[in-house]
Amino acid sequence: MTVRRLSVYTRCLQQLEEDGVKTISSRELAERFSLQWAQVRKDLAYFGEFGVRGIGYYVSGLKAELQRILGLDREWQVALVGFGNLGSALFHYKGFGRQGFRIAAVFDDDPAKAGRSADGVPILPLRELPREAKARNLQLAIVAVPAESAQHVTETLVAAGIKAILNFAPGRIRVPKDVRLKGVDLSIELETLSFYLARGAR
Amino acid sequence: MTVRRLSVYTRCLQQLEEDGVKTISSRELAERFSLQWAQVRKDLAYFGEFGVRGIGYYVSGLKAELQRILGLDREWQVALVGFGNLGSALFHYKGFGRQGFRIAAVFDDDPAKAGRSADGVPILPLRELPREAKARNLQLAIVAVPAESAQHVTETLVAAGIKAILNFAPGRIRVPKDVRLKGVDLSIELETLSFYLARGAR
């Protein structure tokens, strides 16, 4: 099962919990959130222990288990590198904090930014990353710098002991085998829409 | 097959084409891009006509076919609503243009922004959307406004005839059945990383 689908199910269950729903079948879950039933059924079968025969799954129990698997049962200290338009937008993005991702330090070498702070979070030059990573227990990093700086920034993060990096800069970046790198390509999201528009136009 | 996977394959093939690779097997494709072979083999079997028995697939032919399916064989005129940090970051995001998505008009009611332009693209008040949508043949929209404005903005887009909307604002938004709405939740990307970190820590 892809980790992404686990995230999607977690959000659905969160929504159901807020709506006061106690139990749900895979079929209801699929219908309510426009997911493929066969897939949902197969995926959730892994979590049989949270199921009630003939009824479905306990919403809260299953949600808590998925959150535990996703590492969302704790708070992660995140480094954000790059405080331009995108970095600033990501810094203010509400969704991260809600899932337990706390941007604890921002790094940007722009002299107009470094040394200041944003909502109480320090903006520091990149050379301070090794010390801060240790002092603040930074475990994840978000890279929001121009493409030409991304490899250098990533190497600095890796040298500082960061093992998981979310990269918004376009292009290929190399990391050692023990480091997880995930690139975000926002145009993929638009393509799921153009697919439907193109299909309609055919 | 999910549309997202089509997008991923298209990017892999694009990369292979740039690297001068003419044909590739599903196994090589999976290995080279860290995908699941069983899945790749199953997915690409739909495109048997681009395959060569015992060798694999023609990279350029398969890529062109996937692009056609995804609607990437043409240019789409996109409306961007909201020109704050996130909107501005999305406006400058290089990946959209590369796949044929052209932000042709920006809408923002902030008097400090409306009436100006960015890289030659006009920034207009939202009330001008219906006229501009028609004049500029806007078919897709990106919503990058605060959560509390998102429903109103979406209704304005729908009334102007936009049939596909990519929403970055958090929270639930309602659209009529003939309109495709896709919400982007950036924290899902971080969760694929915390999953691996949490697994390593157990």
Side-chain angles (χ1 to χ4, degrees), chain A residues 147-170:
Chain A
E148 58 272 24
S149 317
Q151 183 66 45
H152 168 66
V153 161
T154 301
E155 284 164 15
T156 308
L157 288 166
V158 170
I162 304 281
K163 296 289 185 206
I165 299 170
L166 187 66
N167 173 42
F168 282 85

Side-chain angles (χ1 to χ4, degrees), chain A residues 9 26 29 39-48 57 62:
Chain A
Y9 296 140
S26 58
L29 188 73
Q39 183 81 70
V40 174
R41 193 169 48 173
K42 195 175 138 202
D43 286 343
L44 295 191
Y46 285 97
F47 305 100
Y57 293 86
L62 183 55

Side-chain angles (χ1 to χ4, degrees), chain A residues 25-115:
Chain A
S25 69
S26 58
R27 183 171 201 155
E28 287 167 325
L29 188 73
E31 278 175 3
R32 189 144 167 180
F33 295 97
S34 307
L35 307 169
Q36 290 176 40
W37 181 31
Q39 183 81 70
V40 174
R41 193 169 48 173
K42 195 175 138 202
D43 286 343
L44 295 191
Y46 285 97
F47 305 100
E49 57 193 302
F50 300 95
V52 214
R53 190 165 292 278
I55 293 178
Y57 293 86
Y58 287 114
V59 170
S60 296
L62 183 55
K63 190 204 75 174
E65 172 65 4
L66 296 186
Q67 286 184 322
R68 194 187 63 77
I69 293 171
L70 288 168
L72 303 182
D73 54 349
R74 67 196 82 179
E75 190 180 76
W76 297 96
Q77 307 302 313
V78 179
L80 169 66
V81 188
F83 203 61
N85 280 322
L86 181 58
S88 183
L90 293 170
F91 181 79
H92 292 103
Y93 186 70
K94 297 283 184 293
F96 293 147
R98 211 178 294 138
Q99 302 294 333
F101 299 106
R102 181 174 169 268
I103 295 178
V106 176
F107 298 90
D108 197 309
D109 279 342
D110 181 346
K113 293 169 189 163

Side-chain angles (χ1 to χ4, degrees), chain A residues 4 7 11 185 189 191, chain B residues 4 7 11 185 189 191:
Chain A
R4 172 173 289 272
S7 286
R11 277 165 178 65
D185 186 336
E189 311 295 339
E191 289 173 23
Chain B
R4 173 174 288 273
S7 286
R11 276 165 180 65
D185 185 336
E189 311 296 339
E191 290 174 22

Side-chain angles (χ1 to χ4, degrees), chain B residues 5 16 27 30 54 97 121 163 175 178 180 183 189 191 202:
Chain B
R5 289 213 301 278
L16 288 168
R27 181 169 201 156
V121 175
K163 295 289 185 206
V175 290
D178 65 332
R180 279 266 156 190
E189 311 296 339
E191 290 174 22
R202 273 199 282 273

Side-chain angles (χ1 to χ4, degrees), chain A residues 4 7 11 15 69-70 85 88 93 99 172 180 182 185-187 189 191-192 194-196, chain B residues 4 7 11 15 19 69-70 85 88 93 99 172 180 182 185-187 189 191-192 194-196:
Chain A
R4 172 173 289 272
S7 286
R11 277 165 178 65
Q15 190 67 64
I69 293 171
L70 288 168
N85 280 322
S88 183
Y93 186 70
Q99 302 294 333
R172 275 201 270 193
R180 279 267 155 189
K182 187 161 169 55
D185 186 336
L186 294 171
S187 52
E189 311 295 339
E191 289 173 23
T192 65
S194 62
F195 167 81
Y196 288 104
Chain B
R4 173 174 288 273
S7 286
R11 276 165 180 65
Q15 190 67 64
D19 293 350
I69 293 172
L70 288 168
N85 279 323
S88 183
Y93 186 72
Q99 302 294 332
R172 277 203 268 195
R180 279 266 156 190
K182 188 160 167 55
D185 185 336
L186 294 172
S187 52
E189 311 296 339
E191 290 174 22
T192 64
S194 62
F195 166 81
Y196 288 104

